[in-house]
PDB file of all heavy atoms in Angstrom:
ATOM      1  N   THR A 494     -71.581  20.842  -0.817  1.00 96.00           N
ATOM      2  CA  THR A 494     -70.167  20.897  -0.381  1.00 96.00           C
ATOM      3  C   THR A 494     -70.028  21.771   0.841  1.00 96.00           C
ATOM      4  O   THR A 494     -70.947  22.484   1.234  1.00 96.00           O
ATOM      5  CB  THR A 494     -69.296  21.481  -1.497  1.00 96.00           C
ATOM      6  OG1 THR A 494     -69.690  22.829  -1.763  1.00 96.00           O
ATOM      7  CG2 THR A 494     -69.390  20.653  -2.770  1.00 96.00           C
ATOM      8  N   GLY A 495     -68.837  21.693   1.460  1.00 96.00           N
ATOM      9  CA  GLY A 495     -68.504  22.599   2.569  1.00 96.00           C
ATOM     10  C   GLY A 495     -69.052  22.213   3.897  1.00 96.00           C
ATOM     11  O   GLY A 495     -69.182  23.038   4.785  1.00 96.00           O
ATOM     12  N   VAL A 496     -69.388  20.920   4.085  1.00 97.00           N
ATOM     13  CA  VAL A 496     -69.918  20.448   5.369  1.00 97.00           C
ATOM     14  C   VAL A 496     -68.749  20.078   6.275  1.00 97.00           C
ATOM     15  O   VAL A 496     -67.972  19.174   5.932  1.00 97.00           O
ATOM     16  CB  VAL A 496     -70.878  19.258   5.164  1.00 97.00           C
ATOM     17  CG1 VAL A 496     -71.384  18.758   6.517  1.00 97.00           C
ATOM     18  CG2 VAL A 496     -72.026  19.647   4.258  1.00 97.00           C
ATOM     19  N   LEU A 497     -68.587  20.785   7.380  1.00 97.00           N
ATOM     20  CA  LEU A 497     -67.429  20.612   8.280  1.00 97.00           C
ATOM     21  C   LEU A 497     -66.141  20.743   7.488  1.00 97.00           C
ATOM     22  O   LEU A 497     -65.196  19.982   7.690  1.00 97.00           O
ATOM     23  CB  LEU A 497     -67.494  19.284   9.006  1.00 97.00           C
ATOM     24  CG  LEU A 497     -68.732  19.029   9.901  1.00 97.00           C
ATOM     25  CD1 LEU A 497     -68.571  17.713  10.653  1.00 97.00           C
ATOM     26  CD2 LEU A 497     -68.946  20.156  10.887  1.00 97.00           C
ATOM     27  N   ALA A 498     -66.095  21.713   6.600  1.00 97.00           N
ATOM     28  CA  ALA A 498     -64.960  21.848   5.673  1.00 97.00           C
ATOM     29  C   ALA A 498     -63.637  22.048   6.407  1.00 97.00           C
ATOM     30  O   ALA A 498     -62.613  21.469   6.016  1.00 97.00           O
ATOM     31  CB  ALA A 498     -65.209  23.014   4.723  1.00 97.00           C
ATOM     32  N   GLU A 499     -63.640  22.857   7.472  1.00 97.00           N
ATOM     33  CA  GLU A 499     -62.383  23.125   8.164  1.00 97.00           C
ATOM     34  C   GLU A 499     -61.822  21.846   8.812  1.00 97.00           C
ATOM     35  O   GLU A 499     -60.623  21.561   8.718  1.00 97.00           O
ATOM     36  CB  GLU A 499     -62.591  24.201   9.231  1.00 97.00           C
ATOM     37  CG  GLU A 499     -61.312  24.628   9.909  1.00 97.00           C
ATOM     38  CD  GLU A 499     -61.502  25.806  10.849  1.00 97.00           C
ATOM     39  OE1 GLU A 499     -62.556  26.475  10.765  1.00 97.00           O
ATOM     40  OE2 GLU A 499     -60.591  26.062  11.675  1.00 97.00           O
ATOM     41  N   GLU A 500     -62.696  21.071   9.435  1.00 97.00           N
ATOM     42  CA  GLU A 500     -62.252  19.843  10.063  1.00 97.00           C
ATOM     43  C   GLU A 500     -61.774  18.823   9.012  1.00 97.00           C
ATOM     44  O   GLU A 500     -60.762  18.151   9.212  1.00 97.00           O
ATOM     45  CB  GLU A 500     -63.391  19.234  10.897  1.00 97.00           C
ATOM     46  CG  GLU A 500     -63.764  20.050  12.108  1.00 97.00           C
ATOM     47  CD  GLU A 500     -64.942  19.476  12.839  1.00 97.00           C
ATOM     48  OE1 GLU A 500     -64.946  18.258  13.099  1.00 97.00           O
ATOM     49  OE2 GLU A 500     -65.883  20.229  13.181  1.00 97.00           O
ATOM     50  N   CYS A 501     -62.499  18.752   7.937  1.00 98.00           N
ATOM     51  CA  CYS A 501     -62.117  17.806   6.874  1.00 98.00           C
ATOM     52  C   CYS A 501     -60.792  18.201   6.222  1.00 98.00           C
ATOM     53  O   CYS A 501     -59.984  17.331   5.885  1.00 98.00           O
ATOM     54  CB  CYS A 501     -63.213  17.742   5.810  1.00 98.00           C
ATOM     55  SG  CYS A 501     -64.747  16.952   6.372  1.00 98.00           S
ATOM     56  N   SER A 502     -60.556  19.502   6.072  1.00 97.00           N
ATOM     57  CA  SER A 502     -59.320  19.963   5.481  1.00 97.00           C
ATOM     58  C   SER A 502     -58.156  19.758   6.430  1.00 97.00           C
ATOM     59  O   SER A 502     -57.064  19.300   6.021  1.00 97.00           O
ATOM     60  CB  SER A 502     -59.438  21.456   5.118  1.00 97.00           C
ATOM     61  OG  SER A 502     -58.224  21.927   4.551  1.00 97.00           O
ATOM     62  N   GLN A 503     -58.336  20.065   7.719  1.00 97.00           N
ATOM     63  CA  GLN A 503     -57.241  19.930   8.677  1.00 97.00           C
ATOM     64  C   GLN A 503     -56.800  18.475   8.835  1.00 97.00           C
ATOM     65  O   GLN A 503     -55.621  18.205   9.086  1.00 97.00           O
ATOM     66  CB  GLN A 503     -57.646  20.486  10.053  1.00 97.00           C
ATOM     67  CG  GLN A 503     -56.489  20.539  11.037  1.00 97.00           C
ATOM     68  CD  GLN A 503     -56.831  21.294  12.291  1.00 97.00           C
ATOM     69  OE1 GLN A 503     -57.972  21.284  12.746  1.00 97.00           O
ATOM     70  NE2 GLN A 503     -55.847  21.996  12.864  1.00 97.00           N
ATOM     71  N   LEU A 504     -57.707  17.550   8.655  1.00 98.00           N
ATOM     72  CA  LEU A 504     -57.356  16.144   8.733  1.00 98.00           C
ATOM     73  C   LEU A 504     -56.221  15.812   7.757  1.00 98.00           C
ATOM     74  O   LEU A 504     -55.380  14.944   8.048  1.00 98.00           O
ATOM     75  CB  LEU A 504     -58.574  15.283   8.412  1.00 98.00           C
ATOM     76  CG  LEU A 504     -58.362  13.765   8.418  1.00 98.00           C
ATOM     77  CD1 LEU A 504     -58.160  13.261   9.834  1.00 98.00           C
ATOM     78  CD2 LEU A 504     -59.549  13.066   7.759  1.00 98.00           C
TER      79      LEU A 504
END
Side-chain angles (χ1 to χ4, degrees):
T494 63
V496 179
L497 300 185
E499 185 174 345
E500 293 176 48
C501 291
S502 180
Q503 187 170 34
L504 178 71

